[in-house]
Amino acid sequence: MKQSLQTSIWSFRDIRLVLPARALSYAGDSVALIALMLRVSEYGGPGTMTALLLAFAVPTVVMIPFAGRIVDSYDSRTVLVCASLLQAVAGVGLAFSHGLAETLALVCVLQLGTAVAGPAWGALIPRIVGEELVGRTTGTSQALIGAATLAGSAVGGVLVGWSGDRGALLVDATTFLVLAVVASLVATRRRPERGAVRERGAMTAGLRSIFGDSLLRILVPCLWVFILAGEAVNVVEVFLVTDELELNAAGYGWVVAVQGAGAIVGAWLSGRLVQTTARSRAVLAGMAAIGIACVVMGLANGVVTLLIGSVTVGFGSGLLNAAVSTLMVTRSAEAVRGRVVAALNGTARSCSLFAMLLGGFLGALLGTRMTFVLNGMACVVAAVAAAVLVLRVKGLETKDSAEKVLSH
């Protein structure tokens, strides 16, 4: 292990291909999101924007039983190339469509590809770098994706203004074509044994793996509660910035930018952690940091305090996301990793959907500031409750879910 941990992840040819290509694809997604939000805004108010966000989220939820099974049943190269090509076709379709119904339908198709590609890449990474370097690779990947997303958001508006939404969406489609080419060039392949996921209950193997692990069965449900509380504030964040603190659009852009910068640092730092105990603590610390920061932002009476809270939210998110992603892979049996990642992604998206509804309800009932404060406190409570339960778990450095899942 010592030798492996001293090895640079960039010494692996496949990593030099995969990480930059995935970051480029996320930059394209950010460009496309700006273009689609501007397009949809022309068709109406908050209702149409909500419809767009649902189109991005619902396919991931619907695909929970199927995406992971596809990933664990077929050759990784075939899955990744097909998923990327599907996304590219959807991107081209979006570029040449105009109506609201067409746009929403094609976004759903795009997200069907995403629902499969995400778990496929997540399950392939350990095959490329080995178990010991998964954490470092995940942290580096999420830091690169964070930087690319920020760059894409900054470029998106300019690109739409210069070439219209068609040009921006064609850029996104091109990044998916690049990803398809990269997937075909990756030498490492994940080839599940024939019939490996045909057993009874294969579609629920991801959730059974999560709840079969002494650590994940605590962290994941707490994460679901945390998402409900933490993401609910996203609905009212723009009103905190523009109405309560009376900042303009540029001010809101700075808030989003410093949050993204904090996420990059948090993800990079999380990638330096090498033990399960440290990663589980990073998850808890990320939850607590986001909760405290939300309270600070809700009580902020100046720009500096708001920015401090925002960068802390970003840092906690980066730390939390990279640590959770690593734990999900390293504490799962190789044969079910696609289904484990798909189960986490789908259930997390489900919680995000409910968080949007909760945020809108609380914002109308309590106001913007109290929504931030109360949800921030709820995040801290979730972190403390999870910490108490995690302290009772024995032998955190032992992976105990694999044998239980495979024995069903």
Side-chain angles (χ1 to χ4, degrees):
M1 179 183 290
K2 188 172 182 180
Q3 183 178 2
S4 297
L5 291 175
Q6 291 174 345
T7 302
S8 169
I9 63 172
W10 300 110
S11 65
F12 296 90
R13 168 191 173 273
D14 287 347
I15 287 297
R16 295 196 298 272
L17 290 171
V18 171
L19 296 197
R22 292 200 73 199
L24 177 66
S25 178
Y26 274 87
D29 289 347
S30 294
V31 170
L33 181 60
I34 296 294
L36 290 171
M37 291 179 73
L38 290 172
R39 174 191 288 183
V40 168
S41 66
E42 297 175 359
Y43 291 99
T48 56
M49 197 62 67
T50 301
L52 177 65
L53 295 176
L54 288 173
F56 272 103
V58 169
T60 307
V61 178
V62 172
M63 287 292 287
I64 291 176
F66 310 108
R69 193 176 188 190
I70 292 170
V71 172
D72 289 334
S73 300
Y74 300 99
D75 186 292
S76 59
R77 181 177 295 175
T78 302
V79 171
L80 287 167
V81 170
C82 290
S84 298
L85 289 177
L86 177 64
Q87 291 172 298
V89 170
V92 173
L94 282 168
F96 290 94
S97 66
H98 301 286
L100 178 62
E102 299 170 70
T103 297
L104 296 178
L106 286 166
V107 168
C108 287
V109 174
L110 181 71
Q111 290 305 100
L112 289 177
T114 302
V116 174
W121 287 117
L124 184 62
I125 291 296
R127 282 285 184 95
I128 298 175
V129 299
E131 300 283 336
E132 296 85 359
L133 291 175
V134 170
R136 188 182 300 179
T137 306
T138 300
T140 302
S141 177
Q142 293 201 8
L144 285 173
I145 287 171
T149 300
L150 273 180
S153 298
V155 170
V158 175
L159 190 57
V160 171
W162 177 57
S163 63
D165 60 15
R166 176 174 296 178
L169 291 165
L170 286 175
V171 167
D172 188 37
T174 302
T175 66
F176 288 124
L177 287 176
V178 171
L179 206 54
V181 172
V182 167
S184 69
L185 294 175
V186 170
T188 307
R189 297 170 78 167
R190 188 169 178 263
R191 293 187 180 96
E193 296 179 8
R194 187 176 298 275
V197 296
R198 304 301 180 189
E199 75 279 3
R200 184 179 180 183
M203 288 189 178
T204 60
L207 287 173
R208 286 192 287 113
S209 177
I210 291 171
F211 285 99
D213 184 89
S214 57
L215 178 61
L216 298 182
R217 74 165 66 108
I218 295 171
L219 290 182
V220 173
C222 287
L223 180 66
W224 293 337
V225 174
F226 168 79
I227 292 172
L228 281 173
E231 293 196 10
V233 301
N234 293 343
V235 178
V236 296
E237 183 179 37
V238 65
F239 302 111
L240 176 69
V241 175
T242 58
D243 295 347
E244 299 292 337
L245 294 174
E246 299 180 345
L247 298 180
N248 56 19
Y252 180 61
W254 275 106
V255 170
V256 174
V258 298
Q259 195 171 109
I264 295 169
V265 176
W268 181 87
L269 180 61
S270 183
R272 308 301 102 181
L273 305 177
V274 296
Q275 293 184 326
T276 296
T277 302
R279 289 167 182 152
S280 61
R281 289 174 179 171
V283 174
L284 301 172
M287 288 183 183
I290 293 171
I292 293 170
C294 284
V295 174
V296 169
M297 291 175 72
L299 299 175
N301 55 9
V303 176
V304 174
T305 306
L306 179 68
L307 292 178
I308 291 173
S310 185
V311 74
T312 303
V313 166
F315 177 81
S317 298
L319 191 69
L320 166 69
N321 290 335
V324 166
S325 297
T326 302
L327 287 172
M328 297 302 291
V329 171
T330 57
R331 293 185 70 85
S332 301
E334 205 284 335
V336 296
R337 281 176 178 163
R339 283 167 285 176
V340 168
V341 176
L344 178 66
N345 290 349
T347 54
R349 272 303 177 97
S350 300
C351 292
S352 296
L353 290 176
F354 286 108
M356 284 195 295
L357 298 175
L358 179 64
F361 172 75
L362 291 178
L365 181 67
L366 303 174
T368 299
R369 287 187 180 273
M370 283 304 298
T371 298
F372 264 84
V373 172
L374 290 181
N375 282 280
M377 293 171 64
C379 291
V380 175
V381 170
V384 172
V388 171
L389 294 173
V390 168
L391 287 174
R392 298 179 180 177
V393 178
K394 305 292 185 181
L396 283 180
E397 302 306 322
T398 302
K399 179 172 68 177
D400 61 7
S401 66
E403 293 78 9
K404 293 180 182 180
V405 171
L406 293 179
S407 66
H408 278 68

